[in-house]
Amino acid sequence: MPQITKQQPVATPSKNSVKSANKRQSVLDRIVPVSEGDTKIKLCVYGRSKTGKTRFACTFPKPLLLIQTEEGTKSVSDVKGVDKIRLHNSDDLEVLTSHLALGMYNTVVIDTAGGLQDLIFKEVVGLDEIPIQRTFGMAERGHWMQVGVQWKERIARLISLSDKGVINTVVIAHERNFNEESGSSDVMIPSVGAALTPQTAAWLNGACDYICQTYIREQIISTKQPGEAGLVLQTPTGKKEYCLRVGPHQVYITGFRLPGNISLPDSLVDPTFDKINKLIKPLS
């Protein structure tokens, strides 16, 4: 009599294994060449007062939204395509970020990074007004840490729109000499950058692809002397030039993330978005 064998049931994948396989495939589908992507500009510009920071930022593509923590728009009052709004509290930035995600603007400018930090500081400590001068005695260490975390979270959500190709982001900051304020030895290399707490400034430097500094210098005309081999006469004109430091520097924190075969000038005179864009995309 023939032996009857019981047919084994065909195993079906469990829900967990299917979910895991789909998740793995979803991750693998996001692998693309580094040359691909439609990210927008993420730029931090810092400098002393009245050196052209806001004026430079407002040369970026329009329509442009200028998010203010302090007044300072007289220098750009004649620029078309620029809207402005004054932050009343840090939560306003959350509302604006959601609005900007809709793509109604081509550029957003935060003016200034330190002003937003002061606004958050006021809320964390529970002050009625932003203090004219902040000191570490005004708050505990935990408060300062909370300020830094909230600032990074708000700015991170905003500049993530640039990674998604939605909008250009420009963060304006005042200038700060970190070694000078800490009383460091003259032997140490000085460091000048955005006027934020050191930890917050370091985070912003890493989050932005382009970091530059505004400054004013006297115009110099170079004239090659006839009959003198290689002799060039440097003549001051008495006029002032508004400049943007873009190249790497041993003191000022500046630099662009660019392929290795693209070189940068030390500075640009009368800087604009078009001049910056030509450095970033020299063949476009």
Side-chain angles (χ1 to χ4, degrees):
M1 187 172 181
Q3 185 76 20
I4 299 176
T5 58
K6 187 176 181 181
Q7 186 175 4
Q8 296 295 323
V10 178
T12 58
S14 67
K15 291 183 178 180
N16 287 338
S17 63
V18 172
K19 184 177 180 181
S20 177
N22 290 339
K23 183 177 181 181
R24 181 169 59 251
Q25 188 59 49
S26 175
V27 172
L28 297 178
D29 288 341
R30 298 202 307 269
I31 299 176
V32 297
V34 294
S35 58
E36 291 188 11
D38 187 26
T39 60
K40 297 289 186 177
I41 288 177
K42 298 180 294 182
L43 181 143
C44 172
V45 55
Y46 69 92
R48 296 181 180 180
S49 297
K50 299 177 178 60
T51 54
K53 298 185 296 294
T54 304
R55 185 168 55 189
F56 161 63
C58 287
T59 66
F60 273 62
K62 315 298 186 297
L64 180 151
L65 180 62
L66 182 61
I67 301 177
Q68 296 178 284
T69 61
E70 59 186 46
E71 286 300 329
T73 58
K74 290 185 178 180
S75 64
V76 295
S77 59
D78 60 341
V79 180
K80 304 298 182 183
V82 176
D83 295 336
K84 69 175 183 177
I85 183 172
R86 180 75 176 267
L87 293 181
H88 289 166
N89 55 68
S90 61
D91 287 340
D92 288 347
L93 188 57
E94 295 293 299
V95 176
L96 291 170
T97 299
S98 298
H99 177 67
L100 292 165
L102 302 176
M104 300 178 67
Y105 287 92
N106 285 325
T107 303
V108 60
V109 178
I110 293 289
D111 191 6
T112 64
L116 177 61
Q117 185 175 259
D118 289 343
L119 196 60
I120 296 173
F121 176 84
K122 181 196 76 170
E123 295 167 355
V124 168
V125 179
L127 301 175
D128 293 331
E129 299 291 337
I130 295 176
I132 296 177
Q133 182 174 354
R134 291 181 289 108
T135 62
F136 280 93
M138 296 177 63
E140 299 176 358
R141 178 178 175 83
H143 288 143
W144 289 105
M145 294 178 64
Q146 190 176 350
V147 170
V149 169
Q150 290 190 25
W151 188 94
K152 293 173 189 176
E153 288 176 344
R154 283 164 169 74
I155 293 295
R157 279 191 281 271
L158 181 64
I159 65 178
S160 70
L161 299 180
S162 298
D163 293 325
K164 298 173 184 177
V166 177
I167 195 169
N168 298 302
T169 305
V170 180
V171 181
I172 296 177
H174 292 300
E175 184 176 297
R176 178 178 179 182
N177 187 328
F178 291 96
N179 292 77
E180 184 179 78
E181 294 181 9
S182 63
S184 299
S185 168
D186 292 338
V187 177
M188 295 183 64
I189 298 175
S191 177
V192 179
L196 297 162
T197 61
Q199 295 82 2
T200 305
W203 179 88
L204 181 62
N205 292 339
C208 291
D209 293 325
Y210 313 104
I211 307 170
C212 40
Q213 180 235 5
T214 56
Y215 67 99
I216 299 174
R217 71 184 181 192
E218 186 174 12
Q219 185 185 59
I220 302 291
I221 294 180
S222 300
T223 308
K224 186 176 181 180
Q225 297 302 292
E228 299 286 347
L231 182 61
V232 177
L233 182 63
Q234 305 283 339
T235 307
T237 66
K239 297 180 180 180
K240 301 299 181 184
E241 292 180 330
Y242 285 85
C243 302
L244 186 74
R245 197 185 313 274
V246 295
H249 197 276
Q250 66 270 27
V251 174
Y252 296 96
I253 300 173
T254 55
F256 284 21
R257 288 193 179 114
L258 296 173
N261 60 342
I262 298 178
S263 60
L264 289 172
D266 292 333
S267 299
L268 298 174
V269 178
D270 294 327
T272 64
F273 167 79
D274 288 338
K275 292 179 180 180
I276 288 291
N277 204 39
K278 286 180 180 178
L279 294 178
I280 297 171
K281 304 173 182 177
L283 300 180
S284 62

